[in-house]
Amino acid sequence: MRIAVLSETDGAETRVSATPETVKKYKTLGADVVVQAGAGAKAGIPDADFETAGASVAANATDALKDADVILKVRRPAEGELSGAKPGALVIAIMDPYGQDEALKALADAKVSAFSMELMPRITRAQVMDVLSSQANLAGYRAVVDATAEYGRAIPMMMTAAGTVPAARIFIMGAGVAGLQAVATARRLGAVVTATDVRPAAKEQVESLGAKFIAVEDEEFKQAETAGGYAKEMSAEYRAKQAELVASHIAKQDIVITTALIPGRPAPKLITRAMVESMKPGSVIVDLAVERGGNVELAQAGEIVDHNGVKIVGHLNVPGRLAATASSLYAKNLYAFVETLVNKDTKELAVKWDDELVKATCLTRDGAIVHTAFQPTA
């Protein structure tokens, strides 16, 4: 069994899909691991560290792909990137499959079995494979760090001989994994923290971290969570009531961090131009959904926009701003999944195609798109 670890071709991607730690684990599964030269450079992992762990280093992607049974990446392979991959090889990555019909067709045409890690079901045995949670956790932490860096004042209350510095007020919009980590991080820094979410379960979680929960708690709010634990899209009436509450609250905040995403849909707009203009100069907004169209009307992907003195931070690939930690967690997510695809006795790949994890994540197989959610309509 040969496992190939490819470099990322997207210039904004700093993460790598394996680490020396997981290379050693793959070796115990009986795998030969080949790492493309420079794959870990942006995450601070030199080729020599992979070699010390037991991997061989290939000069280029073509050499790394040759005869590989499993191909590991962070992002979906770009067009032509799998040229030379053998038919039936397993390609495992964050595939971002929604609305990517041509890209999925290209994966099918490459005759590989493509697995999308972000489709992993939220069940107990798959928690260790949950890339959305591992990466969102870091994004929530980094969002607070980035906001603090742009905010020209201290975060905690400070009592000095020269006078008292008031604590910064930080508002987190969306209390999923990223939002809750942002709440916890902002609390650790000493801010006065509030948070909102459309899911009722979030209230208790927010309050358990010492923050105040802000929401219109009507009947629709009580039913606003899917069976999978995601937020539902709310009605126009609810959104209007919530927006009114949030607008008055935002005007008093120093930092706002938005984290709201709905799988397969554009990010919901939470902050309008008028809300931005209600904030004091020197305030900061961090939009973690900017790559999906953004929660903030004035946000620009990859830029920090200054609007009337309010900074709107729209960094791309926020987990990748903590490349070493993000790679470590992502690589462990991948290993946990790959381990389920290997027969421990024969040390060979033995994919159970009817396993619920495989069925939930497999996009393409035998030249066709097999995932029912992404099959082309006639």
Side-chain angles (χ1 to χ4, degrees), residues 96 98 132 198-199 224 226 230-234 239 259-270 289 292 295:
D96 186 24
Y98 293 101
L132 291 179
V198 297
R199 294 168 303 126
T226 68
Y230 294 100
K232 283 184 183 175
E233 190 159 16
M234 305 299 278
R239 291 202 305 271
T259 71
L261 285 170
I262 301 168
R265 308 286 286 276
K269 284 288 183 279
L270 303 179
R292 291 276 183 267
N295 298 141

Side-chain angles (χ1 to χ4, degrees), residues 193-205:
V193 185
T194 52
T196 189
D197 196 283
V198 297
R199 294 168 303 126
K203 180 178 181 179
E204 185 178 339
Q205 294 167 326

Side-chain angles (χ1 to χ4, degrees), residues 1-5 26 31-35 64 68-72 338:
M1 179 174 58
R2 180 178 166 104
I3 296 176
V5 178
Y26 288 125
D32 292 323
V33 183
V34 185
V35 179
D69 301 294
V70 179
I71 300 162
L72 304 180
V338 172

Side-chain angles (χ1 to χ4, degrees), residues 301-363:
E303 296 181 22
I304 298 176
V305 175
D306 189 318
H307 185 77
N308 295 349
V310 177
K311 289 183 179 178
I312 304 165
V313 180
H315 291 309
L316 300 173
N317 187 21
V318 175
R321 293 171 65 76
L322 300 161
T325 308
S327 296
S328 173
L329 296 181
Y330 178 68
K332 289 175 184 174
N333 294 146
L334 286 189
Y335 171 77
F337 181 50
V338 172
E339 186 183 23
T340 69
L341 309 177
V342 176
N343 184 310
K344 304 294 192 303
D345 297 325
T346 64
K347 308 275 190 183
E348 293 177 346
L349 275 178
V351 181
K352 298 184 181 78
W353 296 103
D354 60 347
D355 182 275
E356 61 185 325
L357 304 186
V358 172
K359 288 199 290 189
T361 56
C362 186
L363 295 172

Side-chain angles (χ1 to χ4, degrees), residues 171 173 245-254 256 270-271 275-276 278-280 285:
F171 181 40
M173 301 186 73
L245 174 65
V246 164
S248 62
H249 188 65
I250 282 176
K252 308 182 192 103
Q253 302 304 301
D254 299 302
V256 179
L270 303 179
I271 298 183
M275 292 178 187
V276 174
S278 75
M279 297 179 74
K280 301 183 298 290
I285 303 172

Side-chain angles (χ1 to χ4, degrees), residues 24-301:
K24 290 175 185 175
K25 291 182 176 180
Y26 288 125
K27 297 290 286 184
T28 65
L29 292 180
D32 292 323
V33 183
V34 185
V35 179
Q36 184 179 343
K42 291 180 180 178
I45 307 173
D47 293 342
D49 286 7
F50 283 116
E51 289 180 310
T52 301
S56 57
V57 174
N60 52 52
T62 302
D63 291 347
L65 279 174
K66 188 178 179 185
D67 297 325
D69 301 294
V70 179
I71 300 162
L72 304 180
K73 278 186 58 65
V74 178
R75 301 200 182 212
R76 181 182 66 243
E79 188 176 349
E81 201 177 338
L82 294 178
S83 178
K86 75 178 188 181
L90 311 185
V91 181
I92 307 173
I94 298 171
M95 292 290 183
D96 186 24
Y98 293 101
Q100 300 292 335
D101 296 351
E102 286 301 312
L104 296 189
K105 184 178 183 302
L107 287 169
D109 291 345
K111 302 288 195 294
V112 297
S113 296
F115 293 85
S116 186
M117 286 297 292
E118 68 269 50
L119 299 179
M120 194 66 66
R122 289 193 158 176
I123 57 175
T124 302
R125 66 183 280 239
Q127 283 182 331
V128 69
M129 310 168 201
D130 187 352
V131 300
L132 291 179
S133 291
S134 75
Q135 302 304 292
N137 194 46
L138 294 174
Y141 163 78
R142 182 68 202 211
V144 175
V145 172
D146 285 338
T148 303
E150 298 297 336
Y151 183 58
R153 298 170 178 81
I155 299 299
M157 184 179 80
M158 296 181 181
M159 301 183 74
T160 76
T164 300
V165 176
R169 287 166 296 207
I170 300 182
F171 181 40
I172 314 297
M173 301 186 73
V177 173
L180 290 173
Q181 181 56 251
V183 168
T185 303
R187 286 282 297 152
R188 286 196 294 270
L189 288 175
V192 175
V193 185
T194 52
T196 189
D197 196 283
V198 297
R199 294 168 303 126
K203 180 178 181 179
E204 185 178 339
Q205 294 167 326
V206 164
E207 291 175 345
S208 73
L209 293 170
K212 183 180 178 183
F213 191 72
I214 305 289
V216 175
E217 298 182 39
D218 61 8
E219 281 305 311
E220 184 176 357
F221 172 79
K222 293 172 185 173
Q223 310 294 325
E225 189 168 345
T226 68
Y230 294 100
K232 283 184 183 175
E233 190 159 16
M234 305 299 278
S235 70
E237 291 79 11
Y238 182 88
R239 291 202 305 271
K241 287 188 288 186
Q242 176 75 353
E244 185 179 348
L245 174 65
V246 164
S248 62
H249 188 65
I250 282 176
K252 308 182 192 103
Q253 302 304 301
D254 299 302
I255 292 172
V256 179
I257 295 169
T258 69
T259 71
L261 285 170
I262 301 168
R265 308 286 286 276
K269 284 288 183 279
L270 303 179
I271 298 183
T272 63
R273 172 189 289 265
M275 292 178 187
V276 174
E277 291 172 351
S278 75
M279 297 179 74
K280 301 183 298 290
S283 302
V284 177
I285 303 172
V286 178
D287 189 342
L288 282 181
V290 73
E291 292 183 65
R292 291 276 183 267
N295 298 141
V296 185
E297 188 177 344
L298 298 169
Q300 294 290 327

